[in-house]
Amino acid sequence: EHAAQTTQRASGFCGDGRCEPPETAETCMADCPGVTTHAMCGEEPHSDPGGYAVMWGASHIKASAAECCDACKAHAEDPKNSERPCNSWVFCHTLPYCWALDTGHVHAFGECWLKHQTDPTNPLYGQRGKFTDEFRKTHANAHKTGLMPDGTPRNLSVPTHVPWTGGIMGAVVDLSIKWETGLDGMRSSAGESEVLWRARESHKTG
């Protein structure tokens, strides 16, 4: 019996915060894909950091979150971007599309949004962690009208967790703290709360 319990602990379970085989993003969104980037990227799985869009994600496709983070780093190091260097990035890692609150767009896998936050020590977020049941129920039909890019009817359901991953460059993330996004904002297991930041991104001009 003791051996069986030890094996069960070693093998883990969906929701333990570790993405381990046989878990995948399709079978355990709570844990997967987990952090896949270098520590400097400040990645927080299931998060949608805000900020001024210095690179429009819909036309900026990368193969992985790591590539997206690298693009943010390169943008920040380019002297021509000194006015608004990238310090916040968001990557769509869900196939084939990522659910989002902006119903006028369809966000495809690989979208890499590069952003600039005025105060990265107090970052803004649009969504974090798990969606509450009330949130999922209220927004259940947000992406159930219109057509997908391939011409098929749009039928995206609200997932259990934020289908994006992102980070604040250089931030240290405590992954033991769990976030939840509801209709009135975001709350953490540590007692923190944040209001919903609604993205008003625009192309960088000038």
Side-chain angles (χ1 to χ4, degrees), residues 82-119:
S82 59
E83 180 185 352
R84 289 192 181 97
C86 178
N87 56 19
S88 172
W89 58 275
V90 189
F91 179 75
C92 170
H93 64 72
T94 304
L95 287 167
Y97 306 104
C98 279
W99 190 93
L101 275 173
D102 56 335
T103 57
H105 297 84
V106 176
H107 296 284
F109 174 87
E111 281 193 8
C112 171
W113 293 78
L114 305 186
K115 303 181 180 183
H116 173 79
Q117 298 221 18
T118 303
D119 183 5

Side-chain angles (χ1 to χ4, degrees), residues 55-74:
M55 183 62 73
W56 202 250
S59 55
H60 185 236
I61 306 302
K62 296 298 180 182
S64 66
E67 284 191 12
C68 187
C69 171
D70 288 344
C72 183
K73 181 175 181 291

